[in-house]
Amino acid sequence: MGLLEKIKDIEAEMARTQKNKATEYHMGLLKCRLAKLRSQLLEPSGKGGAKGEGFDVLKSGHARVAMVGFPSVGKSTLLTKVTGTASAAAAYEFTTLTCIPGVIQYRGAEIQLLDMPGIIEGASEGKGRGRQVIAAARTSDLILIMLDAAKGEVTRKKLEKELETCGIRLNSEPPNIYYKQKSAGGLTFNSTCPLTQMTEKLCRDILHEYRIFHAEVLFREDLGAEELIDVIEGNRKYIKCIYVYNKIDMVSLEEVDRLARLPHSVVVSCDLNLNLDYLLEVIWEYLGLVRVYTKKRGEYPDLGDPVILRNGATVKYVCHSIHRSLASELRYALVWVSGTNISHRIFIH
């Protein structure tokens, strides 16, 4: 029996198993076995297998945004509208056959936008060029899931399933679980809060499925088997995502209003240039980019060439972006926050 058949058998067993307290233990072991099989499917262990041709696109700019979606949802049109890069768009499917990069110039930042081929159901299993598309999405800082407003609900769930199968977790934070494998001593299981989805026995059996017999596990949140498996696997990607509903000119105003109120969603019409400016604002917000302006003593700040950094960056990051030797020579910096005239002296240690 091949990997795909084993995966389908486990998925069928999970589908017909009722979810309640009595079956939590059994479901946890099934999820563990399913995650192991999917990992083997994505990363074959054989040395003789031929490698697939990936997308050779160099990461550039201050951030990378990847567009993922089924064929003919407007990815190429959006790339052309917001970057000016020519990408073939037509009324038939699979117009784009490779990854086409473009650059969004916005608020002084250069944001790389990737137009990738449309994926099909089963992309996580290697159908079409699904693996190459999802591999490129894993390297991005933000994912735009392009959807047709007329059939967005159905395709949205299918795309989320494909990405989740390949280890991409959308709009979620890493589980607050401390895990460390040891060489001896057995299992040390603790928690800082009451657990309703995990027991020490289930944790031990999940670890045994991975041939791990000595480990230290500490739950800091009330989490279950799926989150523990993600921590053990250690290859999950937690990426922010925006659901872009295109072709809103083809649906009613009531439907547009409903879609616009969904979490992490933006409604646009690429053909009519509707709401594209707001989409760029949301992309900037989700990427968490900030602009830092430098000034010489006694002069006005240079507002024409900002330093683009991520939220939470320190003065050292600003120094390194200007010159790598500046941080070691600088004693302190004066920092002004936008909207105030008061400077703060920040010492660099």
Side-chain angles (χ1 to χ4, degrees):
M1 184 182 292
L3 286 177
L4 291 177
E5 288 77 12
K6 291 180 181 179
I7 289 174
K8 289 179 180 178
D9 287 347
I10 294 178
E11 288 178 341
E13 185 176 352
M14 292 176 63
R16 62 174 176 262
T17 301
Q18 293 184 355
K19 295 182 180 180
N20 51 51
K21 293 292 290 184
T23 61
E24 272 187 0
Y25 176 78
H26 179 61
M27 289 290 290
L29 292 182
L30 289 178
K31 291 175 182 177
C32 176
R33 293 165 188 164
L34 183 61
K36 285 185 63 181
L37 291 173
R38 284 174 173 170
S39 297
Q40 294 175 25
L41 182 65
L42 295 175
E43 300 176 4
S45 58
K47 295 182 179 179
K51 293 184 178 179
E53 182 184 354
F55 297 133
D56 188 15
V57 179
L58 181 65
K59 192 171 184 178
S60 64
H62 300 101
R64 168 180 278 190
V65 179
M67 289 189 289
V68 178
F70 287 112
S72 296
V73 292
K75 299 187 295 295
S76 299
T77 306
L78 179 62
L79 179 79
T80 303
K81 294 286 185 179
V82 299
T83 68
T85 302
S87 181
Y92 53 87
E93 296 185 347
F94 299 107
T95 311
T96 304
L97 300 177
T98 187
C99 181
I100 301 176
V103 178
I104 302 174
Q105 302 284 350
Y106 188 71
R107 297 185 180 179
E110 294 184 353
I111 302 172
Q112 187 182 49
L113 182 64
L114 301 183
D115 175 21
M116 295 187 290
I119 63 176
I120 59 176
E121 286 190 69
S124 57
E125 301 171 0
K127 294 182 180 179
R129 302 200 68 181
R131 285 186 182 175
Q132 289 88 342
V133 172
I134 295 175
R138 286 175 65 93
T139 65
S140 62
D141 303 300
L142 175 68
I143 293 178
L144 296 185
I145 292 187
M146 294 292 295
L147 301 165
D148 190 329
K151 45 188 176 182
E153 294 299 315
V154 178
T155 55
R156 172 174 174 167
K157 293 179 181 179
K158 291 179 180 178
L159 287 169
E160 287 175 340
K161 182 180 178 182
E162 296 292 340
L163 294 175
E164 183 178 354
T165 301
C166 291
I168 297 178
R169 303 293 180 258
L170 302 175
N171 293 323
S172 60
E173 297 293 330
N176 197 356
I177 301 174
Y178 173 77
Y179 163 76
K180 182 180 180 182
Q181 193 171 349
K182 301 186 297 185
S183 58
L187 172 65
T188 304
F189 180 85
N190 288 300
S191 65
T192 59
C193 62
L195 299 179
T196 60
Q197 309 173 59
M198 178 59 61
T199 62
E200 184 174 352
K201 183 176 185 300
L202 177 57
C203 178
R204 179 180 287 108
D205 288 344
I206 289 176
L207 290 171
H208 286 181
E209 286 285 336
Y210 286 93
R211 299 288 189 267
I212 299 172
F213 303 98
H214 310 285
E216 183 178 352
V217 180
L218 173 64
F219 279 74
R220 297 191 179 98
E221 291 180 90
D222 183 16
L223 302 173
E226 291 185 7
E227 291 78 13
L228 177 61
I229 293 168
D230 286 349
V231 172
I232 296 172
E233 288 280 350
N235 58 356
R236 305 304 192 230
K237 287 286 186 177
Y238 299 87
I239 306 175
K240 290 187 176 182
C241 171
I242 302 173
Y243 301 93
V244 182
Y245 291 90
N246 189 25
K247 305 179 183 179
I248 58 173
D249 52 306
M250 307 296 290
V251 297
S252 64
L253 287 176
E254 292 77 10
E255 180 66 9
V256 172
D257 182 68
R258 187 187 70 83
L259 294 174
R261 296 179 186 275
L262 294 176
H264 313 291
S265 300
V266 178
V267 293
V268 301
S269 175
C270 295
D271 285 337
L272 301 181
N273 294 331
L274 296 178
N275 218 27
L276 296 183
D277 292 340
Y278 177 68
L279 174 60
L280 294 180
E281 290 183 16
V282 176
I283 290 175
W284 176 272
E285 178 185 347
Y286 272 62
L287 288 173
L289 298 177
V290 294
R291 293 175 293 178
V292 178
Y293 298 97
T294 58
K295 68 180 292 294
K296 296 180 180 179
R297 187 185 298 271
E299 298 183 10
Y300 289 104
D302 180 13
L303 301 179
D305 187 19
V307 178
I308 307 297
L309 299 171
R310 297 295 179 89
N311 245 334
T314 63
V315 175
K316 276 192 175 182
Y317 284 99
V318 180
C319 295
H320 285 301
S321 64
I322 298 173
H323 196 277
R324 59 186 179 182
S325 64
L326 183 59
S328 59
E329 300 174 357
L330 195 67
R331 290 174 51 206
Y332 66 89
L334 296 177
V335 179
W336 285 264
V337 181
S338 177
T340 64
N341 293 322
I342 303 174
S343 64
H344 301 272
R345 180 172 293 189
I346 308 297
F347 287 91
I348 300 178
H349 300 287

